[in-house]
Amino acid sequence: MSEDGGRVVPVYAVTGGRTRSAGNDLPLETVVTATDRTAGIGDCQPEYRFIVQLAASPVSVVEIGARLHVPVGVARVLVGDLADAGYLVVHALPAATAEGRPEPALLERLLEGLLAR
């Protein structure tokens, strides 16, 4: 990100060209919060620092992608990296439907939260 908030490098460069994190693949509705471990985050890319700041309060992966103006796949990789490094806690997800999809009520709440921003 540049000083005016615009991206200096292409999105794929932020993740090193990766489309998946080294850890588990996080669903878009996954909610994360920041841990107390903030030492060393100042040396990270601006996107990582921004995510940790956002996660001071519970935030979903899809909301992180929207706030960073990146595809949700990129947000998944960045959040996964931060969780693997101990900067974020991944919270357990509510039960899914028989088809393995999130409950419609959960998706509606996520949408309402995104539209309220």
Side-chain angles (χ1 to χ4, degrees), residues 14-31:
V14 174
T15 64
R18 294 175 299 135
T19 59
R20 296 187 183 271
S21 66
N24 293 332
D25 203 17
L26 302 172
L28 62 95
E29 69 274 7
T30 299
V31 174

Side-chain angles (χ1 to χ4, degrees), residues 28 60 62 104-117:
L28 62 95
S60 67
V62 71
L106 173 64
L107 294 176
E108 288 173 17
R109 288 194 307 271
L110 283 171
L111 180 58
E112 288 170 8
L114 289 171
L115 293 174
R117 297 250 171 212

Side-chain angles (χ1 to χ4, degrees), residues 13-69:
V14 174
T15 64
R18 294 175 299 135
T19 59
R20 296 187 183 271
S21 66
N24 293 332
D25 203 17
L26 302 172
L28 62 95
E29 69 274 7
T30 299
V31 174
V32 296
T33 53
T35 65
D36 293 336
R37 182 177 179 236
T38 56
I41 195 70
D43 296 334
C44 292
Q45 294 176 348
E47 289 81 5
Y48 286 118
R49 292 192 309 265
F50 184 72
I51 291 169
V52 170
Q53 288 174 345
L54 281 177
S57 298
V59 63
S60 67
V61 172
V62 71
E63 185 174 358
I64 290 169
R67 298 283 302 275
L68 276 174
H69 305 289

